Amino acid sequence: MAPLTRSERTALVTGGGRGVGRGIALELARAGCHVAVNYASGEDAALDTVEALAAIGVDAFAVRADVSQARDVEAMFDALVSRWGRLDVLVNNAGVQTWGPLVDLAEVEWDRVLDTNLKGCFLCTRAAARQMTAQGRGAIVNIGSGSNKAPFPKLAAYTASKGGLEMFTRVAAVELGPAGIRVNCVAPGAIEIERTREENTDYAGVWGRVTPLRRVGTPADVGRAVVFLASDEASFITGQTIWVDGGLFTQAVWAY
């Protein structure tokens, strides 16, 4: 591979092989970013996404790492810097959830969700911040959820992790701003992907009816918001949460 020019940008999307992560990776590639696709499992999906990114004309590769493990994260960032010499954009998208009543939630499941969704964001942000500080600039976008704002029943661990992620976004923005690093959050609403269609075969119909814009979102909707926050057009925006939810979590519950 030829050395990157100063105008070219590089990005890492954790959990980028499928669903919302794949949509984000594709939109970053369409904006001209070279993209590393992280995965912990699902290598075939990650490689398929890399193939789609390469077809757009950017350099892309898959990198396996469990973001909840510091050693994996360090090795992943070493691979990125070895390949590109820098990292311009980090998207903390990797996440898991456990569905069930709080009183039945096993400790191991709580730990798995918090370790992936919140600790993983911390570990990747720390590694990216060290590299971006040396560069003098960078953009980090954390992928939140409607549960940043509203409690989701039977998703206690997930809701706790996403609420923590939003506050982590703010403190990271304050601490890293002097180094030229911006940190923001994108909080999707009802997004139709393979997983959500498995939850409900009429997912788009059910959630579209209660979303003010009367449709569900797509991974591309989320990806375009990420591209904006990672771009120079958002150079004075940091510490913010952008809701990509069609107004779903803005409306209040109204009895009539």
Side-chain angles (χ1 to χ4, degrees):
M1 176 186 172
L4 298 177
T5 69
R6 291 181 62 86
S7 63
E8 292 176 296
R9 292 193 179 183
T10 65
L12 165 65
V13 181
T14 67
R18 60 185 66 174
V20 169
R22 177 184 170 100
I24 292 169
L26 286 167
E27 292 303 316
L28 285 166
R30 291 178 182 126
C33 283
H34 304 297
V35 183
V37 177
N38 159 259
Y39 68 97
S41 60
E43 182 181 21
D44 288 346
L47 293 175
D48 182 66
T49 297
V50 166
E51 186 177 342
L53 298 174
I56 294 172
V58 301
D59 181 44
F61 71 103
V63 54
R64 188 196 174 282
D66 179 346
V67 297
S68 72
Q69 301 299 312
R71 184 174 300 176
D72 279 17
V73 170
E74 290 167 8
M76 175 169 63
F77 276 82
D78 286 346
L80 297 175
V81 175
S82 175
R83 187 179 185 105
W84 290 328
R86 68 174 191 270
L87 179 67
D88 300 298
V89 180
L90 166 66
V91 182
N92 284 307
N93 168 73
V96 297
Q97 61 179 223
T98 295
W99 177 269
L102 184 155
V103 294
D104 296 330
L105 181 62
E107 181 180 358
V108 65
E109 290 300 323
W110 171 274
D111 288 345
R112 183 174 74 93
V113 173
L114 271 292
D115 282 353
T116 301
N117 299 6
L118 191 54
K119 180 184 175 184
C121 177
F122 155 67
L123 290 174
C124 289
T125 297
R126 183 179 68 176
R130 289 168 175 168
Q131 176 62 34
M132 291 173 178
T133 296
Q135 299 165 185
R137 62 175 292 166
I140 298 171
V141 182
N142 300 323
I143 305 303
S145 161
S147 62
N148 285 29
K149 182 183 293 186
F152 286 9
K154 298 186 178 180
L155 284 172
Y158 183 78
T159 299
S161 72
K162 293 300 185 177
L165 184 145
E166 183 163 10
M167 189 55 73
F168 178 77
T169 297
R170 296 178 188 177
V171 70
V174 171
E175 285 201 31
L176 301 178
I181 303 167
R182 297 182 298 104
V183 188
N184 289 290
C185 178
V186 169
I191 307 297
E192 187 174 21
I193 55 176
E194 182 178 342
R195 178 183 60 79
T196 55
R197 284 193 297 270
E198 290 175 354
E199 293 175 4
N200 190 319
T201 55
D202 188 30
Y203 183 86
V206 169
W207 284 99
R209 284 191 291 273
V210 297
T211 298
L213 288 183
R214 292 300 183 263
R215 71 169 178 91
V216 294
T218 67
D221 289 320
V222 181
R224 286 190 286 266
V226 170
V227 168
F228 168 68
L229 289 173
S231 72
D232 289 341
E233 282 72 19
S235 63
F236 202 53
I237 300 174
T238 196
Q240 303 305 305
T241 295
I242 303 297
W243 294 88
V244 183
D245 66 354
L248 179 61
F249 296 106
T250 296
Q251 64 185 348
V253 175
W254 197 247
Y256 59 88

